Amino acid sequence: MSVLKLSHLPKALLPAILLISEVGFAQTNNKTVPPVPEIRAIQPGDKKIVVPQSPGGYHLLFKGSDRSPIIDSTGAIITPLVESKVNLYFQLISNQTDTLKYDVSKQVTVPGKFANQGINPQPFIIPALREWHGGQGNYALTSSDRIVVNTANRTTLQKVAAILKKEIKQQTGFNLAIVTGRPEKGDIFLTLKEQDKSIGEEGYYFKVNQYITISALQYQGLFWGTRTLLQLLEHQTHIPKGIARDYPEFKVRGFVLDDGRKFFSLQFLRDYVKLMSYYKMNDFQIHLNDNGFKKYFNNSWDSTYSAFRLENATYPSLTAKDGSYTKKEFIDLQQLGNDYAVRIIPEIDVPAHALAFTKVVPEIGSKQYGMDHLDLHNPLTYTIIENILKEYLGGDHPVFTGKEVHIGTDEYAKKDAEAFRAFTDHFIKYVQGFGKDVRVWGALTHAAGTTPVTVKNVTMNTWYNGYANPVDMKKVGYNQISTPDGWLYIVPAAGYYYDYLDYKNIYENWTPSMIGDVRFPAGDPTIIGGSFAAWNDIVGNGISEKDVNDRVFPAMQVLSQKMWGGNHTESAYPDFAVASKQVDEGPAVNIRGRISADTTTITRFTFDKSDRRVKLQGTIYTKGIKGQALAFSGENSLATLPYPEIGYNYTVSFWINPADNPTEDVVLFKGPNSVVKLKQGNTGKLGFSRDGYNFDFDYAVPENVWTHVVISGTNKGTSLYINGALQKKLYDDWIQFSDKEKTKVRKVETLFFPLREMGGFHGKIDELQIWNRALSDQEIANDK
């Protein structure tokens, strides 16, 4: 999925987009389509579209629209709030040969219930509301307001209400009561008794008047309504009055995380469920196993990094030693996903990317194609993979609790296509035997052959058209999730694909209807959604969880909009880019380590007197460089600060006077994701550690004298200044591999500065200052 395809990269990264406004070609490569008359204009009161007359020798079949809550799959018209454009998708089918089909797209305008968008302009959220009619004035939330659940749905609604109560308190400080019954002025009313059945399981109404009503048909839709409310409350407690009718264009709005080549903490995954939910992204695929590239490990399979991230009782040595999840932890993660309306899609990737398995049972490794390939001609291979899958799928309480499981199936040696197809079909059926639907990576064009591969209840991530031609996959019958590498693959600091996605290009030119350079007609029901991915190909390059998030978060904002609304965007990209900076990660989620959104913020701790923000343990005040300082007396002598950490961009300065600290790994600052050390390992040098990586600045802090230390961090690297002058810049270091291409990749030496605890050494610290931006060299020199 993330291996660079040099043969197609220029085309993929600079797509020659095939834009087809009138007709597509998803069923035929012949673009000469018989002309189809325009559809009759829709008038107020029309209940159904009128299908235009078919050209001679053909019949026109309506297949759906890109806004099914306005025009559904039968052609029935449901009046929107305001005038709306809808793209209709037809197939033009030959009367003589029903396999000869053309895709036809027509756009219609549907009159609305209201003549215009009303008085209050549509409020900005991500993704944008699909329909809005503004009222007059504002609703103001107060601490005395309540969350009211409809009596008829109270059992289901209690879960939503409890989450909403907690998050409103985190967002605003208001601790709202939850009650059952009828709403009153100021309340937030939750109900699953919405009368409009056309909005589907993810649609909802959001009505703001004397009180707020969020109404839906299903839990998912109602939960999305609460995300809208929370985004509107993010910076103020006033919400414009009006009514929204909101729903997604695409059923799957996903993100794929490569957890195999780089481990992500359980807390990171749990935070990501909440982050995705905040943006109404509903599909979180966790790639649980993978391996590095042999050429970067002295061309030795034994030395090549591999990992499988789940506890496994059948083959205990399969579970990675450098990071894994217990079965209970993974079950709980899926439950959190259910609570937040996010599907967790576990992926076990076979028969390529499979080095973790062959290291445990070497007999199943391919001697012909390499040990990252399973030997598809060895019956033991089937037995081992079945045993692994059964451990997570079998029993009364399976570990994989959701409806879908991804079995990988990609990038296997082309010469063994028939065996690959047989393996794929076998494990589709094997997983389906446990009552699951199956997802696979698109590979059947690459692995062309005659061996049949099951289509029913199988969904394909179509990622590179040379591996799976999406036109052909539609003909075969697969539903597809658009996952195009040339648009949506993040491979951090690798030098290929994208380090950061091209947000503007995606926003203006891409929707899930596009797979590579093929654009399917809007409303084609076989394109069920999209997904973007973060692949951690370069094992050992220093990438942290925070660095991955730095790349994924802005992409999440843009792709949330494109997967929810398709081409229906309310704002031009420059306006979206500015406004999106005001929307964060959701209540109590702070993966970005922000202390303040204001870049002028400076936080100072002078330590001249007792400070209620600082809690001391075995630490005293003493004479400092300026007034008083904190004196620490060893490992258990600490000061707890009010912030866990600060993320990019930041500057932290302090004066330090260390005493004798003979031991290794002496800590100065500690946080949830990193530590800053006075002595990094046995180097004796100032440094930091995070994500299993250790770095040092090649500088030893002198003992028994005061030294002014400044550490500045961005997403590009980390800098150390001593007594106002630049000492070391960890920015442009490289890793040189010994492969035949002499590959050189950037070493990532970034740091989220840890702030939860200060101390743990012998010595003194004074005048701690934290800036919410990276200061210039001149500013740092002046600050001293």
Side-chain angles (χ1 to χ4, degrees):
M1 287 64 64
S2 56
V3 177
L4 178 64
K5 297 290 187 294
L6 291 174
S7 61
H8 85 282
L9 185 60
K11 183 179 179 183
L13 289 182
L14 299 171
I17 307 306
L18 184 59
L19 299 176
I20 302 174
S21 58
E22 172 74 9
V23 293
F25 59 97
Q27 297 297 318
T28 175
N29 292 326
N30 180 1
K31 302 178 186 64
T32 305
V33 182
V36 176
E38 292 304 314
I39 193 166
R40 197 190 78 181
I42 294 174
Q43 304 298 320
D46 283 355
K47 300 299 183 186
K48 202 164 181 115
I49 63 168
V50 177
V51 176
Q53 173 133 6
S54 303
Y58 293 88
H59 60 278
L60 201 60
L61 189 63
F62 179 64
K63 302 293 287 187
S65 81
D66 64 348
R67 300 183 83 159
S68 58
I70 298 177
I71 297 178
D72 70 13
S73 60
T74 71
I77 300 169
I78 302 92
T79 303
L81 296 179
V82 294
E83 181 180 281
S84 302
K85 295 185 184 304
V86 181
N87 293 298
L88 306 181
Y89 167 53
F90 299 86
Q91 281 188 348
L92 185 63
I93 304 172
S94 168
N95 292 338
Q96 281 74 41
T97 310
D98 63 7
T99 56
L100 179 58
K101 301 175 183 179
Y102 299 95
D103 288 342
V104 176
S105 183
K106 297 288 184 181
Q107 189 177 86
V108 294
T109 300
V110 182
K113 178 180 178 182
F114 299 100
N116 54 50
Q117 292 221 334
I119 298 171
N120 284 332
Q122 180 168 321
F124 181 86
I125 64 166
I126 305 174
L129 299 167
R130 303 298 301 278
E131 300 176 24
W132 167 263
H133 181 262
Q136 186 170 10
N138 293 297
Y139 162 96
L141 183 71
T142 70
S143 59
S144 61
D145 295 329
R146 308 172 303 166
I147 299 171
V148 181
V149 299
N150 189 341
T151 305
N153 319 117
R154 62 183 170 212
T155 302
T156 304
L157 293 175
Q158 283 299 326
K159 173 72 74 175
V160 185
I163 293 172
L164 182 60
K165 171 188 170 75
K166 177 181 177 181
E167 293 183 327
I168 285 177
K169 185 175 182 181
Q170 292 166 336
Q171 197 92 297
T172 68
F174 297 159
N175 189 20
L176 307 188
I178 299 174
V179 300
T180 302
R182 294 180 177 275
E184 299 174 0
K185 183 178 180 180
D187 288 340
I188 300 165
F189 182 50
L190 307 178
T191 178
L192 292 175
K193 289 296 184 180
E194 174 53 50
Q195 297 302 304
D196 181 356
K197 306 304 181 189
S198 69
I199 58 174
E201 64 180 22
E202 291 193 275
Y204 66 95
Y205 275 81
F206 189 84
K207 303 171 186 175
V208 187
N209 204 328
Q210 296 304 305
Y211 54 86
I212 292 174
T213 299
I214 304 174
S215 58
L217 302 173
Q218 301 289 339
Y219 182 97
Q220 293 94 325
L222 193 76
F223 200 85
W224 297 146
T226 67
R227 303 305 90 184
T228 293
L229 173 60
L230 289 166
Q231 282 199 23
L232 293 173
L233 291 173
E234 189 166 319
H235 297 292
Q236 59 183 17
T237 55
H238 287 73
I239 297 175
K241 291 183 177 179
I243 178 172
R245 183 174 182 255
D246 201 18
Y247 44 83
E249 178 172 336
F250 295 96
K251 294 177 182 178
V252 174
R253 304 177 301 282
F255 170 58
V256 181
L257 181 64
D258 176 6
D259 201 3
R261 298 188 186 102
K262 171 176 173 46
F263 177 67
F264 290 85
S265 67
L266 183 67
Q267 186 59 53
F268 184 91
L269 300 186
R270 292 180 69 86
D271 284 344
Y272 250 64
V273 167
K274 294 179 181 180
L275 168 63
M276 291 180 66
S277 178
Y278 198 57
Y279 287 93
K280 302 184 179 76
M281 297 283 279
N282 66 355
D283 202 89
F284 187 12
Q285 181 175 324
I286 303 176
H287 184 79
L288 288 165
N289 69 280
D290 217 315
N291 47 266
F293 303 140
K294 183 179 71 165
K295 66 178 184 176
Y296 299 151
F297 293 87
N298 296 318
N299 220 32
S300 165
W301 286 119
D302 290 340
S303 301
T304 301
Y305 181 86
S306 65
F308 179 82
R309 299 300 181 191
L310 279 183
E311 171 191 359
N312 192 276
T314 309
Y315 307 101
S317 62
L318 176 61
T319 305
K321 304 297 187 293
D322 65 337
S324 63
Y325 318 110
T326 68
K327 293 175 184 177
K328 183 180 185 308
E329 287 171 338
F330 202 75
I331 289 169
D332 290 345
L333 177 68
Q334 292 166 94
Q335 183 56 57
L336 181 72
N338 292 340
D339 293 346
Y340 277 77
V342 175
R343 289 184 296 268
I344 304 294
I345 307 295
E347 179 191 351
I348 294 178
D349 195 3
V350 286
H353 302 269
L355 185 60
F357 307 113
T358 67
K359 280 187 175 181
V360 175
V361 187
E363 305 96 289
I364 67 173
S366 172
K367 309 306 181 286
Q368 185 175 2
Y369 306 121
M371 293 296 283
D372 63 338
H373 281 49
L374 298 179
D375 181 353
L376 303 186
H377 302 282
N378 184 349
L380 182 61
T381 298
Y382 281 73
T383 301
I384 299 297
I385 302 306
E386 284 181 1
N387 289 344
I388 291 167
L389 287 168
K390 181 168 37 172
E391 182 162 337
Y392 304 115
L393 296 171
D396 295 332
H397 303 286
V399 177
F400 293 166
T401 61
K403 180 62 175 169
E404 290 182 277
V405 173
H406 204 298
I407 62 169
T409 66
D410 190 32
E411 297 188 307
Y412 199 85
K414 187 173 185 177
K415 287 194 293 185
D416 233 345
E418 297 294 356
F420 170 81
R421 294 173 70 93
F423 179 93
T424 301
D425 185 63
H426 175 88
F427 280 100
I428 287 172
K429 291 172 179 173
Y430 184 77
V431 172
Q432 288 179 340
F434 292 92
K436 305 293 187 183
D437 291 340
V438 175
R439 291 194 190 176
V440 296
W441 288 105
L444 296 185
T445 300
H446 171 78
T450 58
T451 303
V453 179
T454 299
V455 172
K456 186 177 180 181
N457 296 326
V458 178
T459 300
M460 184 174 285
N461 284 91
T462 324
W463 68 279
Y464 166 43
N465 295 7
Y467 260 68
N469 183 296
V471 173
D472 293 337
M473 295 305 104
K474 176 179 173 176
K475 289 179 185 177
V476 172
Y478 287 105
N479 283 342
Q480 298 180 69
I481 299 171
S482 174
T483 319
D485 60 344
W487 286 91
L488 303 183
Y489 269 22
I490 300 167
V491 186
Y496 55 84
Y497 284 126
Y498 291 98
D499 196 14
Y500 290 78
L501 295 184
D502 186 345
Y503 313 124
K504 182 175 186 292
N505 190 32
I506 292 168
Y507 188 90
E508 293 178 345
N509 296 309
W510 183 83
T511 79
S513 295
M514 292 195 63
I515 306 176
D517 57 1
V518 174
R519 168 165 281 178
F520 291 91
D524 185 335
T526 68
I527 310 303
I528 63 171
S531 199
F532 73 112
W535 300 106
N536 300 295
D537 285 15
I538 311 300
V539 176
N541 68 349
I543 280 290
S544 71
E545 289 184 349
K546 303 300 188 177
D547 294 319
V548 172
N549 182 64
D550 194 63
R551 290 153 172 78
V552 170
F553 175 71
M556 188 80 71
Q557 290 187 312
V558 170
L559 286 160
S560 157
Q561 175 59 51
K562 299 301 291 185
M563 293 179 188
W564 184 268
N567 273 326
H568 300 274
T569 52
E570 284 295 314
S571 310
Y573 179 73
D575 298 326
F576 176 89
V578 171
S580 67
K581 296 187 187 310
Q582 301 304 310
V583 187
D584 216 330
E585 298 170 294
V589 177
N590 191 16
I591 309 168
R592 294 194 291 162
R594 303 216 305 174
I595 286 180
S596 168
D598 184 357
T599 57
T600 64
T601 298
I602 305 173
T603 305
R604 291 187 172 91
F605 300 90
T606 64
F607 308 124
D608 289 337
K609 60 182 179 180
S610 178
D611 187 333
R612 62 180 177 79
R613 298 174 299 168
V614 183
K615 296 180 174 58
L616 303 183
Q617 172 188 318
T619 303
I620 62 172
Y621 289 92
T622 189
K623 180 175 173 51
I625 188 75
K626 297 177 183 178
Q628 296 280 89
L630 291 182
F632 301 93
S633 58
E635 184 177 352
N636 297 316
S637 178
L638 303 168
T640 302
L641 301 173
Y643 312 112
E645 61 191 350
I646 185 169
Y648 321 131
N649 298 307
Y650 68 83
T651 306
V652 175
S653 77
F654 54 94
W655 286 88
I656 185 169
N657 187 340
D660 182 34
N661 289 275
T663 58
E664 300 176 0
D665 290 316
V666 179
V667 174
L668 295 180
F669 293 88
K670 188 175 184 179
N673 298 286
S674 57
V675 293
V676 169
K677 298 177 182 177
L678 178 65
K679 295 185 176 182
Q680 177 64 278
N682 61 6
T683 67
K685 305 296 178 64
L686 182 67
F688 59 91
S689 299
R690 48 79 174 156
D691 288 73
Y693 294 98
N694 299 311
F695 306 89
D696 73 73
F697 291 107
D698 195 26
Y699 172 80
V701 181
E703 295 177 350
N704 301 310
V705 295
W706 284 103
T707 301
H708 189 238
V709 176
V710 176
I711 296 176
S712 177
T714 72
N715 64 349
K716 303 297 184 185
T718 314
S719 300
L720 172 69
Y721 298 79
I722 297 296
N723 296 326
L726 178 64
Q727 177 69 34
K728 182 75 171 178
K729 202 173 177 72
L730 301 178
Y731 265 70
D732 293 311
D733 294 323
W734 296 80
I735 301 169
Q736 179 68 64
F737 292 106
S738 59
D739 58 307
K740 65 180 181 180
E741 291 86 10
K742 301 299 180 186
T743 304
K744 190 169 77 167
V745 298
R746 188 174 295 278
K747 185 178 182 181
V748 181
E749 300 169 290
T750 52
L751 170 69
F752 266 41
F753 196 95
L755 291 168
R756 175 60 75 212
E757 290 180 349
M758 179 174 63
F761 71 110
H762 292 272
K764 295 175 278 190
I765 288 181
D766 199 4
E767 298 295 322
L768 174 66
Q769 296 187 83
I770 305 163
W771 284 264
N772 202 34
R773 62 188 178 91
L775 300 184
S776 68
D777 289 1
Q778 189 60 54
E779 288 175 309
I780 290 170
N782 293 341
D783 179 61
K784 179 181 180 298

